[in-house]
Amino acid sequence: MILVTGGAGYIGSHYVRYERDRGSEVLVLDDLRLGHRAAIDDSPLLIGDLNNAAVVDLAFRTYTIESVVHFAAYTSVPESVAHPDRYYGNNVVPLIHLLDSMVRHNVRNIVFSSSCATYGDPQYIPIDEQHPQAPVSPYGESKRVCEGMLQAYGRAYGVRYASLRYFNASGAHPFAAIGESHEPETHLIPIVLQAALGKRDKVVVYGADYPTPDGSCVRDYIHVCDLAEAHALALDRLRSGVDRGEYNLGSETGSSVLEVIAACRRITGRRITVEMGPRRPGDPPQLVAASKKARTELGWRPSHPDLDEIVATAWKWETNRRY
Ligand code: UFG
């Protein structure tokens, strides 16, 4: 079976759904601090903290684990600046425990949730995998350290790994009742949709004076179901004996904050009050992926590349949230 850490979280739960739909057996390991029991329906769940090496090893001793897909992590850039201890603690230490258990139990394959935050401020756009990794936040640095650990365990112990560098995960499953639910929510699309629903008074645009076409930040929004599929493809590649790979996962299209708000107005047909505010510290002006490598080596083709479609699935979730 596949051990899915953080499987009750946003991206993890979409991956669990994808694997179950193709008939795989999964075991979710999640402490439910940030994840939601309802997000995985009746998938087998081990509630436990990955910071505890004994808990991690128990999963390997109790179940026949064939591969690991590791989502569990903290993901807020501003929080990582304020509390770096949480990010090194929660993002780096659990991977040590996982890799040690994998080596001990002779489990070879791991797919790892990495991030475009490992690149730092882009030197060129679109960003390919050759772009230097110079993270500018403890969050990005924690992910880069994890990538380094995977390389070292690969060389020393023959662990096979794929590091998937996501751009902006967004949207929700088009028909399963799962979606994004963070507390507090910091991501743009859910915030704009909550303003459309009247759950927030307004949306503050963090900076309209960037060197971009309309002055607001440009990001590459990629549908969470497309991310889920990429994990399955990456895992299949490791199973076929390929020993390593780093892949950018993005739509290769940049959308500005103002364009996202316009898409949300189009899809919801609601009034959304917008206020221009100051820049948010740590935000690069523009992040757009070159993800040709994932397309050629993994055979990955995003099925929901269109921003309106991403927003439409997020809107469906936001108006029917279960958690
Ligand atoms: N934004 C606003 N107003 C808001 C919220 C966001 O203007 O209320 C802007 C941000 O400043 C940014 C863009 O919308 O320019 C997207 O912001 P998100 O918070 O949705 O996403 P980020 O690009 O900051 O973060 C994402 C992932 C992180 C990852 C990061 C890499 O969520 O995990 O990309 O830069 F680390």
Side-chain angles (χ1 to χ4, degrees), residues 75 77 115-117 139 168 186-188 191 204-206 217 219 221 257 280 283 287:
T75 60
V77 172
S115 171
C116 64
Y139 167 70
N168 285 55
T186 59
H187 293 125
L188 179 64
I191 284 176
V204 179
V205 175
Y206 297 144
C217 283
R219 294 287 180 274
Y221 295 89
V257 173
R280 185 173 69 175
D283 272 347
L287 293 170

Short mmCIF file of all heavy atoms in Angstrom, two decimals, residues 75 77 115-117 139 168 186-188 191 204-206 217 219 221 257 280 283 287, ligand 1:
data_model
loop_
_atom_site.label_atom_id
_atom_site.label_comp_id
_atom_site.label_asym_id
_atom_site.label_seq_id
_atom_site.Cartn_x
_atom_site.Cartn_y
_atom_site.Cartn_z
N THR A 75 2.82 25.29 5.49
CA THR A 75 2.95 25.87 4.14
C THR A 75 2.82 27.40 4.07
O THR A 75 2.69 27.92 2.98
CB THR A 75 1.89 25.27 3.19
OG1 THR A 75 0.61 25.58 3.73
CG2 THR A 75 2.03 23.78 3.04
N VAL A 77 4.28 30.99 4.02
CA VAL A 77 5.54 31.73 3.91
C VAL A 77 5.66 32.77 5.04
O VAL A 77 6.67 32.79 5.76
CB VAL A 77 5.68 32.38 2.51
CG1 VAL A 77 6.88 33.30 2.46
CG2 VAL A 77 5.78 31.30 1.44
N SER A 115 8.31 22.84 -3.62
CA SER A 115 7.64 24.10 -3.92
C SER A 115 8.49 24.98 -4.81
O SER A 115 9.73 24.94 -4.75
CB SER A 115 7.39 24.82 -2.59
OG SER A 115 6.93 26.13 -2.83
N CYS A 116 7.79 25.84 -5.56
CA CYS A 116 8.51 26.87 -6.32
C CYS A 116 9.18 27.85 -5.36
O CYS A 116 10.05 28.62 -5.78
CB CYS A 116 7.57 27.59 -7.27
SG CYS A 116 6.26 28.50 -6.44
N ALA A 117 8.79 27.82 -4.08
CA ALA A 117 9.44 28.70 -3.09
C ALA A 117 10.92 28.33 -2.91
O ALA A 117 11.68 29.13 -2.36
CB ALA A 117 8.71 28.62 -1.76
N TYR A 139 10.28 28.78 4.96
CA TYR A 139 9.46 27.75 4.32
C TYR A 139 10.18 27.18 3.09
O TYR A 139 10.36 25.96 2.97
CB TYR A 139 8.09 28.32 3.90
CG TYR A 139 7.34 27.40 2.98
CD1 TYR A 139 6.81 26.21 3.43
CD2 TYR A 139 7.19 27.71 1.61
CE1 TYR A 139 6.14 25.35 2.58
CE2 TYR A 139 6.52 26.85 0.76
CZ TYR A 139 6.00 25.67 1.24
OH TYR A 139 5.36 24.81 0.39
N ASN A 168 1.16 27.53 -7.81
CA ASN A 168 0.05 27.83 -6.88
C ASN A 168 -1.09 26.82 -6.99
O ASN A 168 -1.91 26.90 -7.90
CB ASN A 168 -0.45 29.25 -7.12
CG ASN A 168 0.52 30.28 -6.56
OD1 ASN A 168 1.70 30.27 -6.90
ND2 ASN A 168 0.04 31.15 -5.69
N THR A 186 -5.11 32.09 3.84
CA THR A 186 -4.25 33.18 3.35
C THR A 186 -4.21 33.20 1.82
O THR A 186 -3.68 34.14 1.24
CB THR A 186 -2.79 32.98 3.85
OG1 THR A 186 -2.32 31.71 3.38
CG2 THR A 186 -2.70 33.04 5.36
N HIS A 187 -4.74 32.17 1.17
CA HIS A 187 -4.60 32.07 -0.29
C HIS A 187 -5.63 32.91 -1.02
O HIS A 187 -6.78 33.04 -0.59
CB HIS A 187 -4.68 30.60 -0.72
CG HIS A 187 -3.51 29.81 -0.25
ND1 HIS A 187 -3.64 28.67 0.50
CD2 HIS A 187 -2.19 30.04 -0.38
CE1 HIS A 187 -2.42 28.22 0.79
NE2 HIS A 187 -1.53 29.03 0.27
N LEU A 188 -5.19 33.41 -2.16
CA LEU A 188 -5.97 34.42 -2.87
C LEU A 188 -7.36 33.94 -3.30
O LEU A 188 -8.36 34.60 -3.01
CB LEU A 188 -5.18 34.91 -4.10
CG LEU A 188 -5.89 35.95 -4.95
CD1 LEU A 188 -6.12 37.23 -4.16
CD2 LEU A 188 -5.10 36.23 -6.23
N ILE A 191 -9.99 33.45 -0.62
CA ILE A 191 -10.30 34.75 0.01
C ILE A 191 -11.24 35.56 -0.87
O ILE A 191 -12.24 36.12 -0.41
CB ILE A 191 -8.99 35.51 0.32
CG1 ILE A 191 -8.33 34.89 1.56
CG2 ILE A 191 -9.25 37.01 0.55
CD1 ILE A 191 -6.99 35.47 1.93
N VAL A 204 -8.12 42.62 -0.09
CA VAL A 204 -7.02 43.59 -0.18
C VAL A 204 -6.00 43.05 -1.17
O VAL A 204 -5.55 41.91 -1.04
CB VAL A 204 -6.35 43.82 1.20
CG1 VAL A 204 -5.20 44.81 1.08
CG2 VAL A 204 -7.38 44.30 2.22
N VAL A 205 -5.70 43.86 -2.19
CA VAL A 205 -4.67 43.48 -3.16
C VAL A 205 -3.33 43.91 -2.58
O VAL A 205 -3.10 45.10 -2.34
CB VAL A 205 -4.92 44.16 -4.53
CG1 VAL A 205 -3.78 43.86 -5.50
CG2 VAL A 205 -6.26 43.72 -5.10
N TYR A 206 -2.46 42.92 -2.35
CA TYR A 206 -1.17 43.22 -1.72
C TYR A 206 -0.18 43.76 -2.76
O TYR A 206 0.67 43.03 -3.25
CB TYR A 206 -0.60 41.98 -1.04
CG TYR A 206 -1.45 41.44 0.09
CD1 TYR A 206 -1.55 40.06 0.31
CD2 TYR A 206 -2.15 42.29 0.94
CE1 TYR A 206 -2.31 39.55 1.34
CE2 TYR A 206 -2.92 41.78 1.98
CZ TYR A 206 -2.99 40.41 2.17
OH TYR A 206 -3.75 39.90 3.20
N CYS A 217 0.78 41.20 -8.49
CA CYS A 217 1.67 40.03 -8.63
C CYS A 217 1.10 38.99 -9.57
O CYS A 217 -0.11 38.74 -9.58
CB CYS A 217 1.84 39.35 -7.28
SG CYS A 217 2.95 40.19 -6.17
N ARG A 219 1.05 35.00 -10.73
CA ARG A 219 1.31 33.64 -10.27
C ARG A 219 0.81 32.64 -11.29
O ARG A 219 -0.02 32.95 -12.15
CB ARG A 219 0.56 33.37 -8.94
CG ARG A 219 1.07 34.20 -7.76
CD ARG A 219 2.42 33.68 -7.29
NE ARG A 219 2.95 34.43 -6.17
CZ ARG A 219 3.66 35.57 -6.28
NH1 ARG A 219 3.91 36.10 -7.47
NH2 ARG A 219 4.12 36.17 -5.21
N TYR A 221 -1.34 29.47 -11.49
CA TYR A 221 -2.32 28.70 -10.74
C TYR A 221 -2.52 27.34 -11.42
O TYR A 221 -2.80 27.28 -12.61
CB TYR A 221 -3.65 29.47 -10.64
CG TYR A 221 -3.45 30.74 -9.83
CD1 TYR A 221 -3.06 31.93 -10.44
CD2 TYR A 221 -3.59 30.72 -8.44
CE1 TYR A 221 -2.83 33.08 -9.69
CE2 TYR A 221 -3.36 31.86 -7.69
CZ TYR A 221 -2.99 33.04 -8.31
OH TYR A 221 -2.74 34.16 -7.57
N VAL A 257 -3.06 39.12 -9.79
CA VAL A 257 -4.07 39.16 -8.72
C VAL A 257 -5.35 39.79 -9.28
O VAL A 257 -6.46 39.29 -9.05
CB VAL A 257 -3.54 39.95 -7.51
CG1 VAL A 257 -4.64 40.14 -6.46
CG2 VAL A 257 -2.33 39.24 -6.88
N ARG A 280 2.90 42.64 0.32
CA ARG A 280 3.10 41.68 1.42
C ARG A 280 4.57 41.27 1.40
O ARG A 280 5.07 40.85 0.34
CB ARG A 280 2.20 40.47 1.16
CG ARG A 280 2.19 39.45 2.27
CD ARG A 280 1.15 38.36 2.03
NE ARG A 280 1.49 37.48 0.91
CZ ARG A 280 0.79 36.40 0.56
NH1 ARG A 280 -0.31 36.07 1.25
NH2 ARG A 280 1.14 35.66 -0.46
N ASP A 283 6.83 38.56 -1.16
CA ASP A 283 6.16 38.17 -2.40
C ASP A 283 7.01 38.54 -3.62
O ASP A 283 7.21 39.72 -3.90
CB ASP A 283 4.82 38.92 -2.55
CG ASP A 283 3.68 38.21 -1.88
OD1 ASP A 283 3.83 37.02 -1.52
OD2 ASP A 283 2.62 38.84 -1.72
N LEU A 287 5.83 34.65 -10.66
CA LEU A 287 6.28 33.25 -10.62
C LEU A 287 5.49 32.49 -11.67
O LEU A 287 4.28 32.35 -11.54
CB LEU A 287 6.01 32.63 -9.24
CG LEU A 287 6.80 33.16 -8.04
CD1 LEU A 287 6.24 32.60 -6.74
CD2 LEU A 287 8.28 32.81 -8.16
N1 UFG B 1 -2.84 38.10 -2.38
C1 UFG B 1 -3.52 39.30 -2.27
N2 UFG B 1 -4.48 39.40 -1.32
C2 UFG B 1 -4.81 38.37 -0.49
C3 UFG B 1 -4.11 37.14 -0.63
C4 UFG B 1 -3.12 37.04 -1.57
O1 UFG B 1 -3.25 40.26 -3.01
O2 UFG B 1 -5.68 38.54 0.37
C5 UFG B 1 -1.79 37.97 -3.42
C6 UFG B 1 -0.43 37.62 -2.86
O3 UFG B 1 0.24 38.79 -2.45
C7 UFG B 1 0.20 36.92 -4.05
C8 UFG B 1 -0.96 36.24 -4.75
O4 UFG B 1 -2.13 36.90 -4.26
O5 UFG B 1 0.75 37.87 -4.91
C9 UFG B 1 -1.07 34.78 -4.43
O6 UFG B 1 -0.99 34.63 -3.02
P1 UFG B 1 -1.26 33.26 -2.28
O7 UFG B 1 -1.10 33.52 -0.81
O8 UFG B 1 -2.53 32.67 -2.75
O9 UFG B 1 -0.11 32.32 -2.80
P2 UFG B 1 1.47 32.56 -2.75
O10 UFG B 1 1.87 32.83 -4.16
O11 UFG B 1 1.91 33.53 -1.74
O12 UFG B 1 1.91 31.18 -2.12
C10 UFG B 1 2.01 30.02 -2.87
C11 UFG B 1 1.85 28.81 -1.98
C12 UFG B 1 2.99 28.71 -1.01
C13 UFG B 1 4.27 28.76 -1.75
C14 UFG B 1 4.32 30.01 -2.54
C15 UFG B 1 5.58 30.14 -3.32
O13 UFG B 1 0.64 28.89 -1.28
O14 UFG B 1 2.91 27.50 -0.29
O15 UFG B 1 3.25 30.01 -3.46
O16 UFG B 1 5.84 31.49 -3.54
F1 UFG B 1 5.32 28.74 -0.91
#
